[in-house]
């Protein structure tokens, strides 16, 4: 009979990696974990975007199957959480996509045994929306880290981490999310092997001066295209906000257009004046369109309007420009969304 481990976990947060970790605890004979997640309205966007790719959590099913005790709270930083921790006699915690910044009163409860699964190779890439930022910055790899959770943002000492390259030449965000799933499973297994061995848990201090922080992004606001950028930056920007997200956007004759797929037309040697930026100059036979960007030409291959996919040539026409209002560009540069604000806008997708 498998020996019961001395640790009993509470897990804060809901994501597909949470599901994997719950199953891992069951596999290795740990006590059934307590799981505390946010209210359902914090996850509507994840559900809509990730379900088509089998990347959305099914934690409610795991609770029904008796693999965890599940509670949904408005915040983890309240007295109700402390009561649950006492009730279930937990002594170790891990945050896996917790929607709240966990505060000192919860951190102190565990006397150092509280950890976080972060989706980067710390100390680089602290913060959020990291797969989008990776594409923007030309980084073709995924890193993940389990570290001690502190009051600072992703600052605690590292326990275990791993990175993996993205082999696709022109990846979009879904490619990073798929790679991240496998990478997170790898380091969660390494972490649980350390825990069940009851040996000392590693603790490697981060070099703060080597860190970079990136804020969360919201495609519907931050994803607006600046047609005065160079063509390579625009191509990256379109990929960075593409699948599973709604797509980087711009406007055509007062209509919002999301661009999902494009390519730089390398075989076109024409050189165009910056006055032409955003100008639609060709509707191709296959209904893609040629747009001038940074003295070169960009082929737009797939767009959507109000979530409906369509061929660019059925909507866009020559003579006119794609354009992005200056006030929206400025607002997008400075807007840092919360998950709650993003999920409030999900109602329109269910109507």
């Amino acid at each position: 009979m498998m020996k019961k481990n001395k640790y009993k976990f509470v897990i804060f947060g809901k994501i597909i990696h949470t599901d994997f970790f719950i199953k891992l605890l069951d596999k290795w004979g740990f006590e059934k974990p307590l799981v505390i997640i946010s209210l359902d309205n914090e996850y509507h966007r994840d559900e809509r975007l990730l379900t088509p790719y089998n990347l959305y959590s099914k934690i409610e099913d795991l609770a029904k199957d008796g693999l965890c005790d599940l509670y949904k709270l408005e915040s983890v930083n309240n007295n109700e959480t402390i009561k649950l921790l006492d009730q279930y006699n937990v002594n170790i915690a891990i945050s896996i996509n917790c929607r709240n910044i966990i505060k000192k009163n919860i951190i102190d409860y565990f006397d150092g045994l509280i950890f976080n699964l972060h989706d980067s190779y710390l100390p680089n890439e602290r913060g959020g929306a990291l797969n989008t930022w990776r594409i923007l910055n030309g980084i073709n790899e995924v890193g993940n880290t389990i570290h001690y959770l502190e009051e600072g943002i992703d600052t605690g000492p590292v326990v275990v981490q791993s990175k993996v390259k993205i082999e696709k030449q022109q990846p979009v965000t879904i490619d990073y999310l798929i790679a991240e799933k496998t990478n997170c499973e790898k380091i969660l297994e390494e972490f649980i092997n350390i825990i069940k061995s009851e040996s000392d848990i590693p603790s490697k201090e981060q070099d703060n001066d080597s860190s970079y922080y990136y804020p969360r992004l919201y495609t519907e606001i931050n994803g607006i295209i600046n047609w005065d950028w160079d063509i390579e930056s625009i191509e990256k920007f379109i990929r960075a906000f593409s699948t599973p997200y709604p797509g980087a956007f711009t406007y055509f004759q007062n209509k919002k257009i999301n661009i999902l797929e494009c390519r730089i037309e390398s075989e076109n040697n024409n050189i165009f004046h910056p006055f032409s930026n955003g100008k639609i100059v060709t509707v191709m036979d296959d209904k893609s369109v040629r747009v001038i960007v940074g003295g070169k030409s960009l082929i737009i291959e797939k767009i959507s309007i109000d979530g409906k996919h369509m061929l660019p040539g059925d909507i866009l026409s020559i003579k006119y420009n794609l354009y992005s209002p200056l006030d929206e560009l400025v607002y997008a540069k400075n807007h840092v969304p919360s998950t709650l604000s993003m999920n409030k806008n999900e109602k329109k997708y269910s109507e």
Side-chain angles (χ1 to χ4, degrees), residues 23-39:
K23 294 174 185 176
L24 203 57
L25 293 175
D26 180 65
K27 173 184 175 182
W28 290 111
F30 284 78
E31 286 190 64
K32 181 167 58 171
L34 169 65
V35 180
I36 300 175
I37 66 175
S38 296
L39 303 179

Side-chain angles (χ1 to χ4, degrees), residues 301-319:
E301 299 175 312
K302 184 184 292 185
I303 66 172
S304 72
I305 298 176
D306 297 328
K308 183 180 179 182
H309 291 198
M310 53 191 64
L311 294 172
D314 289 336
I315 300 296
L316 309 179
S317 57
I318 56 173
K319 300 192 297 182

Side-chain angles (χ1 to χ4, degrees), residues 107-175:
I107 295 172
D108 289 348
Y109 185 95
F110 295 97
D111 194 25
L113 284 176
I114 180 168
F115 305 90
N116 179 54
L117 172 63
H118 181 65
D119 53 349
S120 86
Y121 200 88
L122 292 173
N124 197 9
E125 299 178 332
R126 293 173 177 171
L130 297 178
N131 292 321
T132 295
W133 287 110
R134 284 173 186 138
I135 296 174
L136 293 178
N137 295 332
I139 299 171
N140 278 34
E141 66 180 21
V142 165
N144 297 97
T145 301
I146 294 175
H147 64 97
Y148 288 84
L149 196 150
E150 300 178 337
E151 288 185 85
I153 299 176
D154 306 323
T155 57
V158 169
V159 177
V160 61
Q161 56 188 170
S162 174
K163 61 175 69 171
V164 62
K165 284 197 172 295
I166 305 293
E167 299 298 336
K168 191 174 178 181
Q169 289 300 308
Q170 302 290 348
V172 296
T173 43
I174 191 64
D175 300 308

Side-chain angles (χ1 to χ4, degrees), residues 11 13-24 50 55-59 62 94-97 117-119 131 142 144 176-188:
I11 306 169
K14 172 182 176 178
I15 195 172
I16 196 166
H17 318 317
T18 314
D19 298 10
F20 178 80
F21 192 66
I22 290 169
K23 294 174 185 176
L24 203 57
L50 299 178
L55 293 176
Y56 184 63
S57 169
K58 297 180 179 177
I59 199 167
L62 297 181
I94 184 167
S95 168
I96 307 179
N97 195 41
L117 172 63
H118 181 65
D119 53 349
N131 292 321
V142 165
N144 297 97
Y176 289 79
L177 289 169
I178 291 169
E180 187 177 84
K181 177 179 180 293
T182 301
N183 203 44
C184 283
E185 290 176 359
K186 174 185 175 182
I187 65 169
L188 284 167

Side-chain angles (χ1 to χ4, degrees), residues 37-38 42 73-77 95 97-102:
I37 66 175
S38 296
E42 286 268 12
L73 304 180
E74 189 171 352
S75 172
V76 302
N77 299 299
S95 168
N97 195 41
C98 182
R99 292 302 202 208
N100 305 129
I101 295 175
I102 297 176

